[in-house]
Amino acid sequence: MAGNQASAGELLHLVRSGRATTRGALQEVAGLSRATVGQRLDRLFRAGWLREGAAGPVNSRLGGRPSIHLEFDDAHAVVLAADLDTRHARAAVLSLTGEVLAEHMDTLTVDDGPERVLSQLGGWFGDLLRKADRSPDLVCGIGLAVPGPVDFASGRVVQPPMMPGWDGYDIVGRLARAAAEGAGTPADVPVLVDNDANLMAYGEQRTAHPDCRAFALVKVSTGIGAGVVVDGAIYRGIDGGAGDIGHIRVPDGADALCKCGSYGCLAAVASGRAVARRLTEAGVPARSGSDVRELLAAGHPEALRLAREAGHSVGEVLATVVTLLNPGVLMIAGDLAGTAFLTGVRELLYQRALPRSTAHLDVVTSRLGERSALIGAGALVVEELYAPARAERRLAALGL
């Protein structure tokens, strides 16, 4: 960021990251003149993206005026976010700093297909904006978490085992229209779609483990998936397939048929759906991971036993994952993420993985709970829209 190459968008990034929060610091870090910094900050002030905060202390023995601190103004816009699970969904209005301003959760079956589901979300968004007392014009973007692999560049899911009828569907275009119809948001509002485990990992890492350079989250609910955050960014692989550990073959699942059509997948053996099936076969009716979670919360002995066995299967796979990624934090989340399952994971993980791989590893559970994907979706929208190059294009589009 040398010389006059530092744009207004890059100055905004310096302020948001805390690297430079005064005019003097921006001049020094960006290598710009006082006049140029002033001109570029003026664009950000006119957009409503920056504000002046409290004055800092005078650090010079010669006195002088105190430095005015610059702050990202999180009141100029809001984000809409939604998290789709297989049988229910959660939606929210979020501030640009991740505060939940209004929230709604209800039954919404992903098997009903994208037209119906996305149309319903559009209606929820309208209700939530009214509840939060925010104008639709303030919505700068929409983030959506889905339970399937996503090609992030296009926002389309790719051969999702648990989302029949969604493969290759234009989620971005349809959700933008649904929000415009149901909530009155701008027709061209940006929509970002990502896998739910990715967004859970992103939200949890940024909120609770910001200094962890290699962070992995495993969601064990109706299915099983993982999200990985490396150096503050989601690792997706070349086309969104990273983290799909639910379809790794495991030795004890040779006869188990998975939703993907193959036999022996981890998800067919150790997911919430698999545990629910085994409970039902044992005379304890359960349809999904949500039902298993309720049984676990009630301390049902057979549910606890099967959850621990499922943890063993997942822990065996995670021994390889941990050896490959060498994360500092491994977070277990989702419907099965209770004491019994976590105990099973730890027993096999520490037994199978090399001591070198686990010496500095923390195995933890979720801090954000059921909001993690929402918080991650909102954070992703903000990071994408206010990244230096994107911010510069948005300023130009505003005529600034």
Side-chain angles (χ1 to χ4, degrees), residues 303-319:
L304 291 169
R305 184 184 71 80
L306 291 175
R308 185 166 179 172
E309 285 186 9
H312 286 159
S313 297
V314 173
E316 188 157 8
V317 170
L318 290 181

Side-chain angles (χ1 to χ4, degrees), residues 320-336:
T320 301
V321 171
V322 164
T323 302
L324 178 66
L325 294 179
N326 189 211
V329 174
L330 172 63
M331 180 173 285
I332 308 298
D335 291 330
L336 267 61

Side-chain angles (χ1 to χ4, degrees), residues 202 205-206 209-215 228-235:
Y202 195 57
Q205 188 272 337
R206 289 171 59 88
H209 304 276
D211 297 326
C212 180
R213 293 183 54 202
F215 176 94
V228 178
V229 179
V230 177
D231 289 335
I234 297 171
Y235 179 74

Side-chain angles (χ1 to χ4, degrees), residues 24-355:
L26 287 170
Q27 292 174 48
E28 182 177 347
V29 174
L32 299 175
S33 69
R34 179 177 178 179
T36 302
V37 166
Q39 291 168 358
R40 293 181 181 173
L41 288 180
D42 182 61
R43 297 174 67 200
L44 297 171
F45 284 127
R46 284 188 288 146
W49 295 359
L50 280 187
R51 65 185 173 209
E52 291 186 336
V58 177
N59 294 321
S60 171
R61 290 178 300 170
L62 302 177
R65 292 186 299 174
S67 297
I68 302 296
H69 277 269
L70 304 171
E71 301 172 348
F72 182 57
D73 189 343
D74 70 340
H76 73 270
V78 294
V79 174
L80 297 175
D83 175 21
L84 289 182
D85 210 328
T86 53
R87 296 177 58 203
H88 65 270
R90 185 180 295 267
V93 180
L94 304 172
S95 76
L96 297 183
T97 50
E99 179 187 358
V100 177
L101 305 177
E103 185 177 15
H104 177 70
M105 191 194 83
D106 208 341
T107 299
L108 194 59
T109 306
V110 75
D111 285 2
D112 288 342
E115 285 287 336
R116 182 172 178 180
V117 170
L118 298 177
S119 177
Q120 184 73 61
L121 285 181
W124 288 8
F125 286 151
D127 294 339
L128 287 166
L129 285 170
R130 287 186 286 273
K131 183 178 177 182
D133 194 23
R134 295 296 191 276
S135 165
D137 292 337
L138 289 179
V139 176
C140 67
I142 301 173
L144 177 65
V146 298
V150 176
D151 174 34
F152 184 69
S154 68
R156 298 173 189 254
V157 292
V158 182
Q159 299 177 5
M162 295 191 297
M163 300 177 70
W166 291 74
D167 186 21
Y169 184 85
D170 180 19
I171 297 175
V172 170
R174 182 66 186 96
L175 186 53
R177 292 194 301 275
E181 294 161 3
T185 57
D188 60 348
V189 64
V191 176
L192 299 180
V193 185
D194 208 342
N195 171 261
D196 54 1
N198 283 349
L199 293 177
M200 291 171 70
Y202 195 57
E204 295 278 4
Q205 188 272 337
R206 289 171 59 88
T207 301
H209 304 276
D211 297 326
C212 180
R213 293 183 54 202
F215 176 94
L217 176 144
V218 178
K219 178 188 178 185
V220 186
S221 291
T222 299
I224 300 177
V228 178
V229 179
V230 177
D231 289 335
I234 297 171
Y235 179 74
R236 299 182 178 91
I238 59 169
D239 60 5
D244 202 5
I245 66 169
H247 300 286
I248 292 175
R249 303 291 179 86
V250 290
D252 54 351
D255 298 327
L257 178 62
C258 183
K259 288 279 285 185
C260 72
S262 296
Y263 285 87
C265 295
L266 179 65
V269 174
S271 66
R273 187 194 302 273
V275 174
R277 185 189 68 248
R278 293 179 67 186
L279 282 168
T280 301
E281 291 170 352
V284 183
R287 292 187 300 165
S288 68
S290 299
D291 293 340
V292 176
R293 178 177 58 189
E294 293 175 6
L295 289 166
L296 291 172
H300 192 284
E302 184 66 6
L304 291 169
R305 184 184 71 80
L306 291 175
R308 185 166 179 172
E309 285 186 9
H312 286 159
S313 297
V314 173
E316 188 157 8
V317 170
L318 290 181
T320 301
V321 171
V322 164
T323 302
L324 178 66
L325 294 179
N326 189 211
V329 174
L330 172 63
M331 180 173 285
I332 308 298
D335 291 330
L336 267 61
T339 302
F341 183 84
L342 193 64
T343 298
V345 167
R346 284 179 166 147
E347 286 173 348
L348 261 290
L349 173 62
Y350 287 105
Q351 177 184 329
R352 299 296 170 85
L354 290 172

Side-chain angles (χ1 to χ4, degrees), residues 344-390:
V345 167
R346 284 179 166 147
E347 286 173 348
L348 261 290
L349 173 62
Y350 287 105
Q351 177 184 329
R352 299 296 170 85
L354 290 172
R356 172 70 183 82
S357 300
T358 57
H360 301 101
L361 175 68
D362 289 330
V363 182
V364 301
T365 53
S366 170
R367 289 278 294 274
L368 297 176
E370 295 186 350
R371 284 180 167 176
S372 58
L374 286 181
I375 300 300
L380 184 67
V381 169
V382 173
E383 290 305 316
E384 288 282 329
L385 293 186
Y386 294 92
R390 184 78 172 264

